[in-house]
Amino acid sequence: MRIVVDLNRCQGYAQCVYLAHEVFRLTGTEALTYDPNPDDARRLQVERAAAACPVQAIMIDRLDGAERGARS
Amino acid sequence: MTLVATLAELVSDFRANGRIVIVGASLAGLRAAEALREEGFSGSLTIIGDEPYEPYDRPPLSKQVLKGWMPAEHTLLPRFREVDAQWRLGVAATGLDRVARQVRLADGDQIPYHRLLIATGTRARPWPNPAEAALEGVFALRSRDDAARLQQALATRPSRVLVIGGGFIGSEVASVCRELDIPVTLTERGPAPLVGALGGVIGEIAAQMQRDHGVDLRCGVSVSSLEGDAAGHVRRARLSDGTTIEVDVVLAALGSIRNVEWLQGSGLAAGPWGVGCDAGGRAFDINGVVTDSVYVAGDVARMPHVLYEYQFLAMEHWDNAVFGAEVAAHNMVNLEPHYRPHLLLPGFWSGQFGVNIKSVGVPPFGDEIIFTQGSVKDRSFAAAYGRRGRIVAAVTFDHGKWLEYYARLIEQSAPFPPPPPGWDRPDIMKPVPAEFPAPGVPTAIPDVVLTGHDPNERRAEFRPRGH
């Protein structure tokens, strides 16, 4: 799956880190890093993290592979 | 039929049967394509990109990818809706014929358009000596391939990395090197890292932060030459102060070059600072007259900003690509009075040395700075930038939750110094000069540049000191 975090919006509440620590990490107290293309098996975790984000900064792919058109 | 009804019919005919070409298949190009479909454009859409990859996100490349947490190909951007486009990836646009309304591609194809969006962005400025730049172990960092190559080099545990340039990319890479426990030297021609983007007062704090984390930081120094061994691998750097350092990985972090060469001869206001356009994303021609069919978005765009005395701003920021693309897309399929302006309050972030640096507004527009919250010693603070008695920008180190407070003040053109938000006030609150380098002083080029009122104004090219 594919995600992107709007890090302008992110304020480091770290709810995502608690809910999906394999995908989201804090460096220090506020700087968030994350895996933009986590394994599909983590989708539920990531969706929970996105829902729990107090500033709604986590955006998730709304298309599956077949609909994207472009191939890498 | 009335004129108004005719115009309305033209718009709906264009939305159904028009041809739109987007040149640039990165963040701005993708979001513009999605926004066009969202706006109801159902005509033909072509997206041209010089890289062979579908759109990916660049900010992770200098951070989690370099650390080796995930491979560079793990950065593909999420898609929010179908775009039903013809993708021409791996082939660069090489020319624009505005009379014939065609984009020329490197493979000889001509792609016709009714409306064109230019979103070709920037590329990394290479090390200026081509023979030295070709040495093995010398890198730049902009693309996914760049990041993959540099990550591989770091994974071989080099004895020392040299980072040339103390802007955001250079500082972030130095931070990654220290996290990986790799010795690193960073040279910056200006008096401190981040000085172009945030000024000398904040630059001094960033310098101390780098030194505390073990970076061998050398300011006021430039690299005169790079030397390789018999096998063509970089081994040594000679600095302008006469010293040499032994290195086996070099990153040239010298800022960016806007991808405008393909527009030569097109008659557009395109130059080293980007493509001039109005605040609705409509490109200017070379005479400063706005065009009706060519639009610009993302890093390559430069447009007047109402909050900054209508100066032309080029903003190499993530949010500028997203919102600029949405505004341009909207305006491409609408007519006056339904145009929208791109009135972004620019913002950016940079994670380095365990600290989250965030900013809002345009710091180099200010000439004074005041610390308003927190503690510089703890590297957890907020500071505001002012010019002529009003607040124009703010920066936070691990104080990002407060940035919105300052953003509202900047939007209202509130007085400077601003009223503190009434929480963790520092002991001393007094404006001091922000110490931005004078225009023309060579240093890392800030991500937001003020480029003057004239859309065709040109400024000095990059010239390494001592050459």
Side-chain angles (χ1 to χ4, degrees), chain B residues 40-387:
Chain B
F41 176 70
S42 55
S44 146
L45 182 57
T46 304
I47 304 172
I48 296 159
D50 63 343
E51 291 184 69
Y53 311 117
E54 60 173 303
Y56 61 88
D57 205 28
R58 295 181 198 275
L61 297 177
S62 57
K63 307 173 187 77
Q64 49 265 53
V65 168
L66 278 194
K67 277 185 219 173
W69 183 19
M70 77 212 43
E73 61 266 27
H74 259 226
T75 51
L76 294 174
L77 279 163
R79 302 292 190 81
F80 299 139
R81 60 161 298 129
E82 289 180 59
V83 295
D84 187 24
Q86 264 109 44
W87 294 81
R88 299 293 305 266
L89 299 178
V91 54
T94 54
L96 171 62
D97 183 339
R98 286 170 53 225
V99 177
R101 293 188 180 231
Q102 285 182 337
V103 175
R104 191 166 57 248
L105 300 189
D107 63 8
D109 271 8
Q110 305 270 4
I111 312 293
Y113 68 87
H114 296 127
R115 289 205 157 169
L116 172 71
L117 178 65
I118 295 169
T120 40
T122 67
R123 61 185 183 274
R125 186 179 293 281
W127 180 244
N129 180 317
E132 294 174 9
L135 289 170
E136 207 177 312
V138 178
F139 301 90
L141 181 53
R142 170 79 190 172
S143 71
R144 173 176 147 173
D145 290 344
D146 292 340
R149 283 191 289 261
L150 182 56
Q151 194 276 327
Q152 274 184 348
L154 296 183
T156 62
R157 317 274 331 151
S159 63
R160 178 166 292 275
V161 173
L162 169 64
V163 176
I164 308 173
F168 284 105
I169 296 290
S171 298
E172 287 177 2
V173 173
S175 170
V176 168
C177 288
R178 293 311 301 140
E179 282 183 66
L180 297 173
D181 202 25
I182 296 169
V184 57
T185 298
L186 188 149
T187 61
E188 161 60 42
R189 287 175 300 163
L194 310 185
V195 70
L198 295 172
V201 173
I202 298 298
E204 199 44 55
I205 297 165
Q208 199 52 52
M209 187 165 80
Q210 297 207 2
R211 292 193 167 110
D212 288 354
H213 282 83
V215 176
D216 169 30
L217 175 67
R218 317 236 187 141
C219 298
V221 168
S222 60
V223 174
S224 315
S225 64
L226 301 173
E227 294 171 10
D229 59 18
H233 195 290
V234 68
R235 293 298 172 207
R236 201 170 302 103
R238 289 189 186 280
L239 308 188
S240 58
D241 62 3
T243 57
T244 60
I245 30 177
E246 309 292 315
V247 294
D248 34 25
V249 168
V250 173
L251 173 72
L254 306 170
S256 53
I257 299 178
R258 291 175 171 79
N259 292 320
V260 294
E261 291 80 358
W262 69 284
L263 296 169
Q264 228 170 33
S266 68
L268 291 177
W273 290 116
V275 184
C277 61
D278 75 0
R282 296 185 298 169
F284 288 121
D285 75 8
I286 200 160
N287 304 304
V289 176
V290 76
T291 63
D292 289 324
S293 56
V294 183
Y295 291 72
V296 199
D299 288 358
V300 78
R302 50 198 290 257
M303 56 181 67
H305 200 302
V306 57
L307 281 180
Y308 297 99
E309 298 175 356
Y310 291 94
Q311 283 212 45
F312 277 74
L313 297 188
M315 299 179 277
E316 291 180 55
H317 295 332
W318 193 88
D319 54 353
N320 178 55
V322 173
F323 297 131
E326 288 170 1
V327 168
H330 173 87
N331 293 341
M332 287 175 93
V333 295
N334 282 283
L335 280 180
E336 193 189 353
H338 304 293
Y339 289 145
R340 269 188 212 151
H342 179 42
L343 293 180
L344 174 74
L345 194 59
F348 68 83
W349 73 90
S350 173
Q352 47 180 285
F353 304 101
V355 169
N356 194 28
I357 303 176
K358 294 184 88 167
S359 166
V360 66
V362 182
F365 199 75
D367 47 23
E368 286 185 296
I369 187 169
I370 183 168
F371 291 93
T372 47
Q373 289 179 280
S375 152
V376 170
K377 189 168 72 58
D378 299 339
R379 288 185 196 126
S380 172
F381 62 83
Y385 294 83
R387 173 182 167 114

